Structures are given as C-alpha cells and as structure tokens.
Amino acid sequence: MTLRVAVAGAAGRMGQAVVAAVEAADDLQLTGKADPQLGVALADVLGDADVVVDFTRPDTALANALQCLDAGVHVVIGTTGFDPEPLRTATGANVFIAPNFAISAVLMMRFAAEASRHMAKAEIIELHHDGKLDAPSGTAARTAELMEGDVPIHSVRLPGLVAHQEVIFGDVGQTLTIRQDSLTRESFMPGVLIAVRRVPQLTESPVVGLEHLLFG
Ligand SMILES: NC(=O)c1ccc[n+]([C@@H]2O[C@H](COP(=O)([O-])OP(=O)(O)OC[C@H]3O[C@@H](n4cnc5c(N)ncnc54)[C@H](O)[C@@H]3O)[C@@H](O)[C@H]2O)c1
C-alpha cells in the first residue's frame, strides 16, 4: 500500500530535501507541500495525507501537530526548540519526534551516554549554520539528557556549517572526543523515511528519538 505524505515547511532547507526523498521512494506518494512561502496552508493538504512531515519553526510546530491529530493524520516532527509536552495527552493519530534523524547522530548519542558512565566529566560543543533559530540544539539537549552528570553545552553558529557535534570527556590524564558531522541535509533522509513508514503502526504516542525505531 502506498502511503500518502505531505510536507509542512516544504519550501525550507529541510522541507525541500524531504520532498525530494519522498518523491524518490517507490512506496510513498507526495500529496502536499504546505508552506506560507508557497501560499499553501497545512489545512489545505491534510485531506489527502496519511502522514505529515513537519520541518517548520519552533513557534509553529506544536500547533501544526495538533492540527494534524485533529484531522486524524499521523505526524513526524523534525522541528526542534519547542516543548512537545501537550502532545503527551493528544489523541487522534500518532506522533513521532526526533531531534536528529541522522543515524550517525543517534549512534553518537548512544556512545556518549555509555562513555558518561565511565568518565569523570564531559562538555558538549554543538555547531550549526547561522540560520538555525534555536540554541542549544535539540540534539545537544537530548544528548545531555541521556548522559550522566551535569553536562554544559556550548553553541556555535557560523555560515558554511550544516549540523555538527562534539562530546568531549575528561578524566585523569586522558580525554575522549566523540564527533558527529551531518555534511549535507540528505544525511537526515534515511531516518525521516524510516519514521514515515513506521509512524502509522506505533503502539504508543508520542515516541521521541530515532533510537526507538532503530534499536527498539
Ligand atoms: N530533526 C532533525 O534531524 C533536524 C535536522 C535539521 C533541522 N532540523 C530542524 O528543522 C526545522 C527547520 O529547519 P530548516 O533549516 O529547514 O528551516 P527553514 O527556515 O529553512 O524552513 C522552515 C520552513 O517552514 C516554513 N513555515 C513556517 N511556518 C509554517 C507553517 N505554519 N506551516 C508550514 N510551513 C511553515 C517557512 O516558510 C520555511 O520555508 C528547524 O527547527 C531545525 O532545527 C531538524
């Protein structure tokens, strides 16, 4: 069965990459592109969609998701920097959220969590392009949450960067650095497509983190 997919934020940096990835997948059909820049509202695309993928802005992602659930449409959220708490009690369809859809980033978070149990202290440096609206990044916040101890986060915003993170550990006479780089936005697409295919079958909602689909 072909899943019908609409993209919210379709004119944005991530949205354009999602549109291309959905169009290239044989088992998915792109049925809508919502974005104020295209003059298309989310409400206009919900009637034809089984799943919406949201890469918009921190100030609109929650309202978009609630609108999808009201319409009985599943939603995969990549937007970061908003509080998803109200989605815990929302019903109508399933929600999947990931602060980072790159499989290498999920592995970085997992290895950092493991290392934090054995090393005395750690700090995170996250580096992103200068168009990113939120700081610290959702990935850095989630990494710190998964690690033991109090982990300071430093944010760098520069043109030329995409999405990068170093987790640096220190202990007696030794350090360990775990580094992950998303060099292009295509790095996020395999993870986004896994989430799109799996979100209709989730047995709980919301599910937060690609690790639950990869390892769970
Ligand atoms: N989870 C991940 O793996 C991941 C990876 C990269 C970026 N992100 C996040 O994705 C989000 C988007 O990033 P970007 O670089 O593509 O931003 P962007 O500014 O390039 O694109 C956002 C788009 O959303 C549109 N938009 C605004 N309000 C809207 C609404 N109500 N409905 C539909 N569209 C709307 C804007 O017009 C814009 O085209 C950010 O929160 C970013 O942090 C997440």
Side-chain angles (χ1 to χ4, degrees), residues 51 69 74-77 93-98 194-210 212-214 216:
V51 178
L69 298 184
H74 305 297
V75 59
V76 170
I77 306 175
N94 295 334
V95 180
F96 178 83
I97 306 172
I194 288 171
V196 166
R197 292 177 178 122
R198 294 277 296 276
V199 71
Q201 285 99 43
L202 293 178
T203 52
E204 56 180 308
S205 173
V207 170
V208 181
L210 194 63
H212 299 293
L213 303 186
L214 293 178

Side-chain angles (χ1 to χ4, degrees), residues 9 12-14 35-37 55-56 60 78-80 98-101 132:
R13 285 171 287 244
M14 286 297 289
D35 197 305
Q37 288 197 60
F55 281 95
T56 57
T60 191
T79 310
T80 57
N100 200 316
F101 280 98
K132 186 171 174 63

Side-chain angles (χ1 to χ4, degrees), residues 60-74:
T60 191
L62 177 63
N64 283 1
L66 292 170
Q67 207 180 334
C68 292
L69 298 184
D70 270 353
V73 177
H74 305 297

